[in-house]
């Protein structure tokens, strides 16, 4: 299960999330099994995050920073990953 604190920061929006990531570069975001269907995650820094088995169906992941992100078993059906 995802770390609830990480989910709460994510839900505050891209600016809050990216600022938190910048201030806490050593924390590995735990978003395991997060329910992020239809989420607008454009421009989010999700590098090194653990999104195993997360529901990202229909999510907007354009320009999302996904370097070394663990997406094992994540549902990406209908997600927008490229473009723009």
């Amino acid at each position: 299960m995802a770390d609830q604190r990480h989910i709460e920061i994510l839900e505050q929006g891209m600016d809050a999330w990216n600022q938190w990531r910048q201030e806490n570069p050593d924390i590995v975001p735990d978003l395991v099994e997060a329910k992020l269907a239809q989420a607008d995650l454009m421009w989010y820094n999700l590098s090194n995050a653990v999104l195993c088995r997360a529901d990202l169906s229909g999510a907007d992941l354009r320009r999302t920073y996904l370097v070394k992100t663990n997406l094992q078993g994540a549902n990406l059906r209908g997600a927008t990953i490229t473009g723009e």
Side-chain angles (χ1 to χ4, degrees), residues 26-77:
D26 296 329
I27 293 177
V28 174
D30 177 356
L31 301 171
V32 173
E33 297 180 355
K35 307 297 184 212
L36 300 170
Q38 306 298 318
D40 180 359
L41 299 171
M42 190 170 174
W43 293 105
Y44 277 66
N45 178 0
L46 295 176
S47 63
N48 297 309
V50 181
L51 284 148
C52 295
R53 299 176 308 282
D55 182 3
L56 294 161
S57 58
D60 187 352
L61 297 168
R62 292 173 295 157
R63 302 199 186 252
T64 302
Y65 197 58
L66 294 168
V67 174
K68 296 184 180 179
T69 302
N70 186 340
L71 293 163
Q72 185 176 0
N75 179 358
L76 295 165
R77 181 169 284 141

